[in-house]
Amino acid sequence: MDNTDEKYMRMALAEAKVALAMDEIPIGCVVVCDDRVIGRGHNLTERLQDVTAHAEMQAITAAEETLGGKYLDRCTLYVTVEPCVMCAGAIAWSQMGRLVYGAADDKRGFRKYAPEALHPKTIVEQGVLADEAARLMKDFFKKKR
Amino acid sequence: MDNTDEKYMRMALAEAKVALAMDEIPIGCVVVCDDRVIGRGHNLTERLQDVTAHAEMQAITAAEETLGGKYLDRCTLYVTVEPCVMCAGAIAWSQMGRLVYGAADDKRGFRKYAPEALHPKTIVEQGVLADEAARLMKDFFKKKR
């Protein structure tokens, strides 16, 4: 973890807080290329009633739109919580250069169901501002009970 | 496999042929609920330059839009080729009632990377009109070489 990672993870956390304000599961994501944010997203599954509307999916679609290309091998994806199987699959198809996530998700995270799903060249880093990401999730689900 | 499965798989194959006509990898999908097609899609990853634009993802989004709800537990998804990890993850989130696919994909299919990714209640059937689906894929990649 360096300062740059923290800086972009704070942006992902800001996206998560937008989701929270909409009563969505608070997960946020940014995709960064050459020190520029080229895609961002937050969970919108309830608002859109669409299971594919995870933060990562939207950020990847946005980043590819910005670049005009399908491959994000020179980019880093920052997401506040470990990606699920679906999002790990999308990250793999994009050949993402680097994946940085905050809190682990031992229940729904890709490492449990598809530990080999990512592209072999994708560098993975976990635990960046994990406490803050986990706290957002915990508070959200506590209120729901 | 029954006649109904064949009927809907033919619609999925028609979608695949639309993709083929656009020079996309020829995979097609329909989602059926109460004997009605409520979502359809074909691969659009090249046209949109978006790795998330698989046939299944679009058909699921369309079906959920039609129903106005996130859960497709009373639906069947027909897809011409075995879903990838990303699409299997989306099928799982939707709690799809039944998944019927044609040709196996031993290289990129979900069974290799995430055999437990689907929802435990989803009934899976494979091999419906598999030869026709496989032939579309084979001819497409032969031309590309």
Side-chain angles (χ1 to χ4, degrees):
Chain A
M1 177 166 64
D2 58 22
N3 281 342
T4 307
D5 282 348
E6 255 195 59
K7 176 176 112 183
Y8 289 121
M9 189 60 87
R10 290 214 179 280
M11 291 188 191
L13 282 163
E15 287 292 323
K17 285 168 194 167
V18 176
L20 184 68
M22 299 168 75
D23 206 30
E24 298 275 357
I25 295 178
I27 300 179
C29 181
V30 297
V31 174
V32 176
C33 193
D34 293 334
D35 214 28
R36 201 161 61 92
V37 175
I38 60 167
R40 56 179 77 223
H42 53 77
N43 185 40
L44 277 173
T45 48
E46 292 304 319
R47 175 67 60 103
L48 300 180
Q49 288 290 299
D50 181 350
V51 294
T52 74
H54 283 194
E56 300 94 313
M57 304 300 278
Q58 296 174 71
I60 289 169
T61 296
E64 292 177 340
E65 170 85 31
T66 304
L67 289 185
K70 276 192 311 176
Y71 298 116
L72 304 175
D73 50 301
R74 291 175 55 232
C75 306
T76 299
L77 183 143
Y78 295 87
V79 58
T80 56
V81 177
E82 179 185 343
C84 73
V85 169
M86 173 180 74
C87 293
I91 291 165
W93 284 120
S94 77
Q95 303 187 8
M96 191 68 65
R98 197 159 161 259
L99 161 63
V100 180
Y101 64 88
D105 181 353
D106 294 334
K107 224 171 141 184
R108 295 286 178 193
F110 75 97
R111 289 176 310 159
K112 178 175 175 184
Y113 290 101
E116 308 293 322
L118 296 178
H119 192 277
K121 285 195 183 161
T122 302
I123 296 162
V124 181
E125 188 147 1
Q126 65 172 102
V128 176
L129 301 180
D131 289 349
E132 201 163 328
R135 198 176 320 121
L136 275 173
M137 293 289 275
K138 217 172 136 183
D139 289 352
F140 176 79
F141 285 110
K142 201 168 13 181
K143 258 192 240 155
K144 287 282 162 194
R145 256 184 256 127
Chain B
M1 178 167 64
D2 58 23
N3 281 342
T4 307
D5 282 349
E6 255 194 59
K7 176 177 113 183
Y8 289 121
M9 190 58 88
R10 290 216 178 281
M11 292 189 192
L13 282 163
E15 288 291 324
K17 286 169 193 165
V18 176
L20 184 69
M22 298 168 76
D23 206 31
E24 297 275 356
I25 296 178
I27 299 177
C29 180
V30 296
V31 174
V32 176
C33 193
D34 294 333
D35 213 28
R36 202 161 60 92
V37 175
I38 60 167
R40 55 179 78 223
H42 52 78
N43 185 38
L44 278 173
T45 49
E46 292 305 319
R47 175 67 62 102
L48 300 180
Q49 289 290 300
D50 181 350
V51 295
T52 73
H54 283 194
E56 300 95 313
M57 304 301 277
Q58 296 174 72
I60 288 169
T61 296
E64 293 177 340
E65 171 85 30
T66 305
L67 288 186
K70 276 192 313 178
Y71 296 116
L72 304 174
D73 50 302
R74 291 175 55 233
C75 305
T76 300
L77 183 143
Y78 294 87
V79 60
T80 57
V81 176
E82 180 186 341
C84 74
V85 169
M86 173 180 74
C87 294
I91 291 165
W93 284 119
S94 78
Q95 303 186 7
M96 191 68 67
R98 197 160 159 259
L99 161 65
V100 180
Y101 65 88
D105 181 353
D106 294 334
K107 224 171 139 184
R108 294 285 177 195
F110 76 95
R111 288 175 310 158
K112 178 175 175 185
Y113 291 101
E116 309 293 322
L118 296 178
H119 192 277
K121 285 195 182 162
T122 302
I123 296 162
V124 182
E125 189 147 0
Q126 65 173 104
V128 175
L129 302 179
D131 289 349
E132 201 164 326
R135 198 175 321 120
L136 275 174
M137 293 288 276
K138 217 173 137 183
D139 290 352
F140 175 80
F141 285 110
K142 200 168 14 180
K143 257 192 243 156
K144 288 281 162 195
R145 254 182 257 129

